[in-house]
Amino acid sequence: MSEAPRILLVLGDQLTPSVAALAKGDRDRDVVLMAEVREEASYVPHHRKKIAFLFSAMRHFAEELRADGWTVDHVRLDDAGNTGSLLGEARRALERHGAAGVVVTEPGEWRLQLAMEEWGDVLGAPVKVLRDDRFLASRVEFADWAEGRKQLRMEFFYREMRRAHDVLMDGDKPAGGKWNYDQENRKPPKEGLDYPEVPRFQTDDVTREVLELVEGFDGGWGDLRPFWFAVTRADAEAAAERFFADALPRFGDYQDAMVEGEPFMFHSLVSLYLNAGLLEPLALCRRAEEEWREGRAPLNAVEGFIRQVLGWREFIRGIYWLEGPDYPRRNALNAQRGLPEFYWTGETDMACMAAAIGQTKSEAYAHHIQRLMVTGNFALIAGIRPWEVGEWYLAVYADAYEWVEAPNVVGMALFADGGVVGSKPYAASGNYIDKMSDYCGDCRYKVKERSGPDACPFNPLYWDFMIRNRERLQSNPRVSRVYSTWDRMGDDKKSAALESAEAILGRLSAGERV
Ligand code: FAD
Ligand code: DLZ
Ligand code: SF4
């Protein structure tokens, strides 16, 4: 008698042929289950482009697996009987196929991880959760690295990853003699730069059907069309190749720059593909290294890109699992203001915020410095509740899953973890934004004014933040000199700044336009 099949559950962000559940499966016996479910599509108001991307990529992946000999049971959102949850669909699939149990690769969020730990009891069938080996550092390896360290710093982790995976190394030395070329990667934008075209992919019948489905979906945020993301591995690889050829050489120089009307600049736009499993991190790093070794891209660009993928991405994930399920709700600075409505509407007079939010609404994308130093910085200095900021980031970006969103938001942008991810808050006044962008010229606010109704809101809010948190921050050697500057300022300037901040915060509380 043939053995009962197992249900190999593949989640929407596990679209990798070698993902653990498939690697451990038996294509002659097991059934692959993929399910579009309301619960996953609405636990935050995801960007419509993000939902469409994942649903279309899931459908394409299901076809690829079928062509590869797998039996795939793909449940559509509008299928009759769809229970709306992964657990419900696992139960139905167990019954439909007379299956002996469920095998799944560990999910990317505590929410699902904790739920899955109970699934076996609820379903009355064995549920095996396998390690996700698509990351270069496993949760256990990261925990081992972290153990006994007083502070976890990305730079040291990154060096170990470079050594362990022999990336950008000359023997046991870093290629070029230095581990990190970040100092060369902070050029402000200059006029006349020629930005590469972002690869935009045609929609096929599968994607068109998904777009109609998402159009009728009640929930979600942002502009669904025009839809241009890659939805297959082959197209995602083509998108990455375009980046290596067209943008990588200048990726480093202008990594931190922001330009009105240029949402993508020289960035790679690979995060959504990487995080859904359409691309693999080590392969991307090796391709980037090849561009340097072949003399087609400079070291500062290539090292910068590799540091983001091999360093930051892995470090951030390690922190998420190390710190535990309460991490997204941490609030070390006791920030208690609600998220201003303009994060959703984009209706603000601050040109930098309007640009970042506007392109987020249309493209489900903003690059790192926009996320960190514009929308993140504002939320930090205005004292917005971290979990509300987190929900916004988790919803609005096509690449957002809690394992990567939470440490970036709660840790890096808001310092709400008290210094686990970063050694100091990334608080900045308008001066930083002015230096790194061309936003301020057309803004209704004046970036050089420190107080008063026309002052750039980032200026008084910056000081208000520093003073509100003085007790906590002034002993930090990386921040203390800011307090010396404040202490040297005249009383009239100090009170004008704090009064302006109070006025702005009052307007935010009253829901008035800022
Ligand atoms: P590039 O600038 O081209 O960088 C290359 C790759 O490096 C990215 O694709 C990404 O995979 C990786 N990377 C770079 N920085 C980070 C980082 N800090 N953490 C993890 N990976 C990184 N990234 C996400 O993938 N999902 C998120 O939900 C997310 N939320 C963020 C929230 C905030 C507040 C901040 C400050 C950053 C966030 N990031 C997030 C990190 C980073 O902003 C995005 O990875 C990047 O902007 C994606 O665009 P790109 O592919 O063009 O990246
Ligand atoms: C983000 C997302 C969405 C929008 N929809 C689905 C879905 O219908 N089915 C599914 O399996 N996964 C979906 N996902 C991705 C999951 O939310 C993701 O696997 C978890 O958040 C863990 O990272
Ligand atoms: Fe942003 Fe201030 Fe510049 Fe306006 S003046 S764009 S609010 S930094």
Side-chain angles (χ1 to χ4, degrees):
M1 210 175 82
S2 64
E3 263 187 283
R6 294 165 305 175
I7 299 300
L8 310 179
L9 175 60
V10 174
L11 304 177
D13 53 354
Q14 298 180 342
L15 310 181
T16 314
S18 61
V19 74
L22 294 176
K24 290 275 177 337
D26 176 349
R27 78 186 71 195
D28 297 325
R29 167 165 65 113
D30 298 330
V31 175
V32 177
L33 171 67
M34 296 173 71
E36 297 166 6
V37 291
R38 173 162 287 276
E39 204 168 75
E40 293 309 305
S42 58
Y43 65 89
V44 288
H46 295 289
H47 200 293
R48 293 185 184 90
K49 276 194 169 78
K50 175 183 182 184
I51 303 176
F53 161 63
L54 278 183
F55 282 9
S56 180
M58 285 169 81
R59 290 182 186 194
H60 282 94
F61 188 63
E63 277 315 310
E64 282 166 22
L65 291 181
R66 283 189 188 112
D68 203 23
W70 290 95
T71 303
V72 182
D73 186 350
H74 181 272
V75 181
R76 293 173 177 227
L77 191 75
D78 52 0
D79 277 352
N82 186 331
T83 55
S85 75
L86 291 170
L87 175 62
E89 289 316 293
R91 177 183 283 124
R92 285 205 314 146
L94 280 169
E95 286 164 9
R96 238 184 347 259
H97 301 284
V102 177
V103 180
V104 60
T105 312
E106 64 194 2
E109 307 197 350
W110 278 108
R111 170 185 67 86
L112 267 181
Q113 164 84 22
L114 297 176
M116 281 177 181
E117 284 168 15
E118 312 291 320
W119 276 18
D121 291 342
V122 183
L123 293 170
V127 174
K128 201 164 186 170
V129 183
L130 302 174
R131 184 168 90 71
D132 189 351
D133 52 16
R134 296 173 304 162
F135 291 88
L136 299 168
S138 72
R139 296 185 197 178
V140 173
E141 281 159 358
F142 189 85
D144 286 349
W145 173 80
E147 190 163 342
R149 283 170 198 263
K150 260 181 42 210
Q151 277 194 325
L152 304 181
R153 287 297 159 252
M154 196 287 297
E155 183 62 30
F156 300 113
F157 170 76
Y158 166 56
R159 291 179 191 180
E160 293 207 8
M161 295 292 283
R162 291 261 297 272
R163 282 196 198 95
H165 297 279
D166 193 24
V167 173
L168 220 50
M169 297 296 296
D170 282 334
D172 60 353
K173 298 266 183 321
K178 277 201 310 187
W179 289 103
N180 183 318
Y181 293 81
D182 204 26
Q183 293 295 341
E184 295 170 34
N185 291 0
R186 293 176 188 157
K187 289 203 174 79
K190 59 174 193 227
E191 294 209 357
L193 278 175
D194 200 9
Y195 299 102
E197 276 286 308
V198 166
R200 291 170 193 269
F201 296 87
Q202 298 289 327
T203 50
D204 61 5
D205 287 345
V206 173
T207 301
R208 274 192 288 279
E209 218 180 320
V210 165
L211 291 178
E212 275 167 32
L213 178 75
V214 176
E215 218 143 41
F217 184 70
D218 55 343
W221 180 82
D223 304 344
L224 178 61
R225 296 171 196 269
F227 183 85
W228 51 270
F229 295 156
V231 290
T232 61
R233 171 171 305 272
D235 280 350
E237 280 167 1
E241 283 306 317
R242 283 281 295 278
F243 163 71
F244 290 128
D246 299 347
L248 179 64
R250 281 175 293 175
F251 171 84
D253 288 356
Y254 300 106
Q255 205 177 340
D256 289 2
M258 301 173 278
V259 173
E260 178 67 50
E262 293 293 345
F264 312 115
M265 301 189 66
F266 303 107
H267 290 274
S268 67
L269 275 68
V270 294
S271 53
L272 77 165
Y273 307 132
L274 265 173
N275 297 352
L278 297 182
L279 296 174
E280 278 98 50
L282 192 55
L284 283 182
C285 292
R286 297 220 188 284
R287 272 293 291 114
E289 177 168 358
E290 188 185 330
E291 291 301 291
W292 174 64
R293 298 224 178 254
E294 296 295 325
R296 292 189 291 261
L299 188 53
N300 71 311
V302 169
E303 187 280 317
F305 177 78
I306 288 174
R307 177 158 22 91
Q308 308 309 316
V309 177
L310 195 69
W312 277 112
R313 185 171 183 271
E314 296 286 331
F315 178 76
I316 284 287
R317 175 179 184 263
I319 296 278
Y320 178 72
W321 292 112
L322 187 72
E323 288 295 309
D326 75 310
Y327 186 86
R329 288 194 73 86
R330 293 206 188 150
N331 193 2
L333 300 181
N334 193 26
Q336 292 300 349
R337 191 171 304 281
L339 185 78
E341 189 56 21
F342 65 70
Y343 272 78
W344 298 106
T345 63
E347 287 168 14
T348 165
D349 290 335
M350 293 179 280
C352 53
M353 291 289 280
I357 296 167
Q359 73 171 72
T360 298
K361 190 158 173 286
S362 58
E363 308 293 8
Y365 179 85
H367 69 66
H368 187 68
I369 292 301
Q370 294 175 303
R371 296 188 206 196
L372 183 62
M373 300 308 293
V374 179
T375 45
N377 182 23
F378 187 86
L380 169 72
I381 60 182
I384 315 293
R385 288 191 278 265
W387 53 92
E388 292 190 21
V389 183
E391 181 180 295
W392 183 78
Y393 278 95
L394 191 54
V396 304
Y397 291 111
D399 57 21
Y401 305 89
E402 199 180 81
W403 67 265
V404 56
E405 167 274 319
N408 272 302
V409 173
V410 173
M412 196 184 299
L414 301 182
F415 205 67
D417 65 2
V420 177
V421 168
S423 53
K424 72 174 181 72
Y426 278 98
S429 67
N431 190 32
Y432 174 86
I433 297 174
D434 191 30
K435 193 171 89 190
M436 297 311 296
S437 80
D438 65 354
Y439 294 141
C440 301
D442 289 333
C443 186
R444 165 243 179 280
Y445 294 109
K446 297 191 170 54
V447 72
K448 301 281 182 229
E449 288 191 17
R450 302 290 157 119
S451 57
D454 292 332
C456 162
F458 284 85
N459 294 340
L461 287 180
Y462 170 77
W463 282 120
D464 195 63
F465 169 82
M466 295 309 297
I467 298 313
R468 261 187 350 251
N469 293 292
R470 182 163 192 163
E471 214 172 304
R472 184 172 190 106
L473 299 178
Q474 73 178 352
S475 57
N476 183 331
R478 300 196 59 200
V479 187
S480 53
R481 126 193 108 71
V482 170
Y483 292 104
S484 320
T485 308
W486 173 259
D487 291 339
R488 282 197 307 272
M489 267 162 70
D491 285 346
D492 48 343
K493 276 195 183 158
K494 286 182 184 165
S495 46
L498 297 184
E499 276 163 26
S500 290
E502 204 182 318
I504 295 162
L505 294 174
R507 268 152 63 204
L508 287 180
S509 299
E512 290 167 17
R513 192 172 173 105
V514 172

